[in-house]
Amino acid sequence: MTEKQQYESLKQLLTEYGYQYYVLDNPTVTDAEYDRKMRELLQMEERHPDWVTADSPSVKIGGRVLEGFETVTHAVQMQSLNDAFSAQEVEEFDRRVREGLDGPYEYVVEHKIDGLSVSLEYRDSLFVRGSTRGDGLVGEDVTENLKTIRSIPLRLKKEVPYLEVRGEVFMSKKSFARLNNEREEAGESVFANPRNAAAGSLRQLDSAVAAKRGLDIFVFNIQQAEGVEFSTHLEGLQFLRECGFKVIDNEKAFADIGGALEEIDRIGQMRPDLYYDIDGAVVKVNRLDQRQILGSTAKCPKWAVAFKYPAEQQQTKLLDIIINVGRTGVLTPAAVLEGVRIAGSTVRKATLHNLDFIREKDIRIGDTVVIQKAGDIIPEVVEVKTDLRDGSEREFSMPDTCPACGAPVRREEGEAAYRCTDVDCPAQLSRHIIHFVSRDAMDIEGLGPSVVDKLLSAQLIGSAADLYYLNRDHLASLEGLGEKSADNLLAALEESKQRGMARLLFAMGIRHIGLAASKLIARRFGSMDALFDATAQELAEIEDIGMIMAQSVVDFFAEPHTRAFLDKLKQAGVNTLHQSDTATDTRFAGKTFVLTGTLSSMGRKEASERIESFGGKVSGSVSKKTDYVVAGEEAGSKLTKAQDLDVTILSEQEFLTMLEGNE
């Protein structure tokens, strides 16, 4: 078998693994085996970038940074639904259906996912575009972010000339809780519910950020299709399953509204046990020809209605308020509650976010409070029963010193968060190291939270820099870490030394500085040493770096421990220079490129890297600031916009000539 055949086989294997895991929820290999195969694929694609196609599983990792989202006009309107809040209102909907139809009809009842509605378009079975619902007529092109959702097939399992489907992007309860915990630890505002979290994640300009958010999707409707026909909604759902889409199990039709109402009750009872959040159940007429007869209003179909479940609330006693210390030193208050059953589980703690939240609601220790799960997931205090106070309640104040290390606590002007001022605080250290070794940072395989905790407990490390001074004897002393694992970990540490300045900057966990900002800063300054002399004004001159971000970087590099930390890394051989610093050719400096269509000689990733290696910038959208649009085969709307704005358009051959250094 040739290497190209091995690559194609590996691509198919990973696609099938992803389908089994993310769509069928029936994994056939371990996560470690999947990750190993994915690394193998990425290494092949790095050696042969011209092999990469739009349906490669590597697309799911993300990485494209966009300047903004282009608009999409929906060929088929993405309508909303009329709501019903009682059985009587559902029965009234049934009366209207009965009056509008001549003859028997039946209903399908589906989960109403609390997420963000999107359209997915496929041409010749290949995913070509995805967009948000918007106002139903015009949405936003979020194709790159949708590609990172692992349950969305990049190529259909059936051959279809053209297919547009509608689905609901959502965030699982587990992913929602993890994301809010991370944001709370970082002193960032938390999302109110999974729907807001999903919407915010899908509209990230950096697709790598969206890829990390753990988004998922259920597809529930065919908007338009060529080459296939259906008579009922259930037939359409079965076709979607055969295409490889994730569809909620739903194979039953109900002959009357009584059966539909029983199904609504059944779904309501199972709601707490679902791994995703629903806020209702949708009742739809099954036969498509009868839907045509019933028709629609300007915004809503007359053949469907959404029954909305009420949010469950319970009353309990707030016994105490405790403090948790996060990775960035943020002190987060949490309520200790008298246990109460709500939405399928017993709740004994609730988030209180920050002191402003406590003051705004006038929450006191000893209060009787009303608890609700945000999105039926994270418990929160929604109301204080002040009329039940007896005078024994106590006001809460943030501590002056960190409960983990005793260092002074400081609140920055204009911020809600209180922070521990000790960078060596033990509560922060473990979380900081775990971030340092994470995939988007230094990507040190084999250094999970349990190994980090063992290294800290054994006092083998006192900072992330100490990782690079570990040896085989150190690791052999750790319980449960065999010789092979120790050797693999040392190899991974050695490999990580060449990640470069951008990844290292992100790994250091500077407030407000993500991976995209780290890349921009690294490209501008070239070395960590240069950052020590940078002013906030110089940093803020970088496009997309605001003054708050700039000041955060300056403050971080002004800390004495930062110089000591970097010196220790450099002595260990860690590269603190920007990866492209060795390149002296800056022919594209100050120039912005946009790539559109398919290039036959290389993939977009390689083209972007080549442009950036010569000092240029790659953007996802065309504007007056664009210098060049590189137009490959089947170039789309970006080419048209470039022509309208009189932007210089390069053919693939002209682009290659520029890369070779010729005018």
Side-chain angles (χ1 to χ4, degrees):
M1 187 183 289
T2 65
E3 188 181 11
K4 179 66 180 295
Q5 290 172 327
Q6 289 176 344
Y7 170 73
E8 293 297 336
S9 176
L10 186 56
K11 231 172 60 168
Q12 292 176 12
L13 185 64
L14 281 166
T15 298
E16 185 60 25
Y17 284 165
Y19 173 69
Q20 290 163 349
Y21 187 100
Y22 295 102
V23 178
L24 300 183
D25 195 24
N26 183 33
T28 55
V29 294
T30 64
D31 290 350
E33 175 66 8
Y34 181 88
D35 290 343
R36 187 180 70 80
K37 294 286 189 185
M38 178 60 79
R39 276 182 184 275
E40 190 179 333
L41 182 83
L42 291 171
Q43 288 167 357
M44 283 187 172
E45 291 185 342
E46 192 173 336
R47 291 195 302 270
H48 306 283
D50 54 310
W51 289 359
V52 183
T53 54
D55 61 341
S56 169
S58 63
V59 172
K60 300 292 184 184
I61 298 170
R64 289 201 60 197
V65 179
L66 308 177
E67 284 192 347
F69 296 110
E70 296 182 358
T71 59
V72 174
T73 301
H74 300 303
V76 176
Q77 183 181 0
M78 297 179 69
Q79 295 183 311
S80 55
L81 294 170
N82 286 314
D83 292 332
F85 297 93
S86 67
Q88 290 74 22
E89 291 183 19
V90 176
E91 289 168 346
E92 178 61 24
F93 158 75
D94 176 60
R95 181 190 62 77
R96 294 192 295 271
V97 170
R98 187 168 59 251
E99 291 175 353
L101 296 175
D102 183 16
Y105 54 90
E106 55 188 15
Y107 292 118
V108 176
V109 183
E110 299 176 342
H111 298 188
K112 186 177 184 299
I113 308 296
D114 195 13
L116 185 73
S117 201
V118 298
S119 159
L120 310 176
E121 296 177 67
Y122 292 78
R123 192 168 296 282
D124 295 326
S125 299
L126 193 68
F127 180 46
V128 293
R129 186 169 67 172
S131 53
T132 61
R133 177 182 175 274
D135 62 3
L137 298 172
V138 178
E140 292 179 315
D141 188 329
V142 288
T143 306
E144 295 304 318
N145 287 346
L146 286 168
K147 284 179 180 178
T148 69
I149 299 178
R150 297 184 181 273
S151 47
I152 292 180
L154 298 178
R155 180 180 292 277
L156 301 179
K157 288 179 171 289
K158 297 180 76 70
E159 294 299 321
V160 187
Y162 178 78
L163 179 69
E164 181 189 2
V165 300
R166 181 171 175 178
E168 197 80 2
V169 172
F170 66 94
M171 187 173 287
S172 71
K173 295 176 180 179
K174 183 178 179 181
S175 295
F176 176 63
R178 174 182 55 77
L179 176 62
N180 265 359
N181 285 339
E182 290 174 355
R183 293 178 69 84
E184 205 158 53
E185 282 186 0
E188 300 173 343
S189 61
V190 296
F191 289 107
N193 52 56
R195 186 190 187 284
N196 288 354
S201 301
L202 196 60
R203 299 194 73 258
Q204 289 288 326
L205 293 177
D206 186 346
S207 63
V209 176
K212 291 193 300 182
R213 293 287 178 84
L215 296 176
D216 206 338
I217 190 172
F218 279 116
V219 173
F220 60 84
N221 197 60
I222 296 174
Q223 298 293 90
Q224 49 181 335
E226 294 178 9
V228 286
E229 292 184 0
F230 314 98
S231 60
T232 68
H233 179 62
L234 289 182
E235 288 178 8
L237 293 181
Q238 181 55 35
F239 176 76
L240 292 175
R241 290 188 190 93
E242 293 168 359
C243 283
F245 290 108
K246 188 170 184 175
V247 180
I248 294 177
D249 289 337
N250 184 13
E251 300 175 356
K252 187 175 181 181
F254 301 91
D256 55 46
I257 200 62
L261 286 169
E262 288 178 5
E263 181 67 2
I264 289 173
D265 288 340
R266 188 187 73 82
I267 293 173
Q269 291 171 13
M270 65 188 290
R271 183 181 173 198
D273 300 321
L274 297 172
Y275 71 88
Y276 49 88
D277 189 41
I278 63 172
D279 60 354
V282 182
V283 181
K284 300 177 178 178
V285 171
N286 188 28
R287 277 176 47 185
L288 303 185
D289 60 337
Q290 291 179 330
R291 292 184 180 186
Q292 292 287 336
I293 294 170
L294 291 168
S296 304
T297 65
K299 290 187 176 181
C300 303
K302 295 180 180 179
W303 42 264
V305 69
F307 177 84
K308 303 297 284 286
Y309 297 113
E312 186 181 348
Q313 296 181 339
Q314 294 289 349
Q315 194 168 289
T316 189
K317 200 84 167 177
L318 194 154
L319 304 176
D320 198 4
I321 295 177
I322 59 174
I323 295 294
N324 297 316
V325 184
R327 172 176 64 83
T328 58
V330 174
L331 276 62
T332 304
V336 179
L337 307 168
E338 196 173 87
V340 61
R341 188 81 174 169
I342 179 170
S345 63
T346 300
V347 173
R348 291 189 173 87
K349 285 186 180 179
T351 179
L352 294 175
H353 305 304
N354 51 53
L355 187 62
D356 290 347
F357 179 87
I358 294 171
R359 293 282 183 264
E360 181 184 332
K361 291 191 176 293
D362 190 22
I363 298 170
R364 303 181 187 182
I365 297 170
D367 268 334
T368 298
V369 294
V370 177
I371 301 295
Q372 175 180 302
K373 285 190 177 180
D376 286 336
I377 300 166
I378 297 180
E380 63 177 356
V381 177
V382 294
E383 182 185 351
V384 177
K385 307 298 288 187
T386 55
D387 56 317
L388 297 180
R389 284 177 175 165
D390 60 13
S392 64
E393 295 79 17
R394 295 177 290 120
E395 288 193 6
F396 170 78
S397 297
M398 292 293 287
D400 295 325
T401 58
C402 173
C405 69
V409 169
R410 181 175 63 200
R411 183 178 186 177
E412 300 288 348
E413 186 176 348
E415 285 196 0
Y418 285 75
R419 297 177 186 273
C420 170
T421 56
D422 185 1
V423 295
D424 296 320
C425 173
Q428 301 178 52
L429 183 56
S430 175
R431 294 184 178 94
H432 176 264
I433 294 174
I434 290 168
H435 170 74
F436 185 90
V437 305
S438 64
R439 180 169 296 181
D440 286 339
M442 299 305 282
D443 190 16
I444 305 174
E445 189 174 2
L447 258 180
S450 62
V451 177
V452 170
D453 288 341
K454 287 177 182 178
L455 290 168
L456 288 169
S457 298
Q459 298 184 334
L460 292 174
I461 58 172
S463 73
D466 292 335
L467 292 169
Y468 293 99
Y469 293 85
L470 293 170
N471 58 41
R472 205 164 186 265
D473 291 337
H474 291 144
L475 297 176
S477 67
L478 296 182
E479 184 182 351
L481 198 69
E483 290 184 5
K484 186 175 181 181
S485 296
D487 289 340
N488 289 340
L489 181 50
L490 290 172
L493 282 163
E494 190 64 31
E495 181 187 351
S496 73
K497 291 179 181 179
Q498 301 307 316
R499 299 286 183 240
M501 179 183 173
R503 299 276 287 275
L504 178 58
L505 193 61
F506 174 65
M508 294 174 79
I510 304 171
R511 288 169 56 204
H512 310 303
I513 304 300
L515 184 57
S518 297
K519 290 178 180 178
L520 294 173
I521 294 169
R523 194 177 300 148
R524 165 63 176 81
F525 288 93
S527 72
M528 286 293 193
D529 287 339
L531 269 185
F532 279 100
D533 300 322
T535 65
Q537 187 60 45
E538 288 174 327
L539 282 155
E541 288 173 359
I542 302 172
E543 190 174 356
D544 297 329
I545 302 293
M547 185 53 74
I548 291 176
M549 298 167 71
Q551 192 60 53
S552 181
V553 174
V554 170
D555 291 345
F556 181 83
F557 279 86
E559 294 282 351
H561 82 280
T562 302
R563 172 67 76 177
F565 183 78
L566 279 170
D567 284 346
K568 199 167 188 178
L569 288 173
K570 285 198 285 187
Q571 288 169 16
V574 176
N575 178 22
T576 61
L577 303 176
H578 184 39
Q579 294 284 37
S580 63
D581 279 355
T582 54
T584 56
D585 190 334
T586 57
R587 72 186 72 162
F588 295 156
K591 302 297 183 183
T592 299
F593 288 73
V594 171
L595 305 172
T596 181
T598 303
L599 301 178
S600 60
S601 58
M602 68 183 76
R604 284 199 183 189
K605 182 180 178 182
E606 183 188 359
S608 298
E609 289 174 349
R610 295 285 299 277
I611 291 168
E612 290 173 353
S613 72
F614 293 133
K617 176 184 175 183
V618 180
S619 172
S621 59
V622 181
S623 70
K624 291 180 179 178
K625 296 181 180 179
T626 305
D627 295 290
Y628 300 106
V629 168
V630 181
E633 295 179 13
E634 298 183 10
S637 58
K638 293 175 185 176
L639 176 59
T640 304
K641 189 170 183 179
Q643 292 168 336
D644 292 341
L645 295 175
D646 200 25
V647 172
T648 301
I649 298 168
L650 301 174
S651 67
E652 181 173 356
Q653 187 55 52
E654 289 171 330
F655 175 59
L656 292 174
T657 301
M658 289 179 69
L659 290 178
E660 291 167 3
N662 300 315
E663 291 297 330

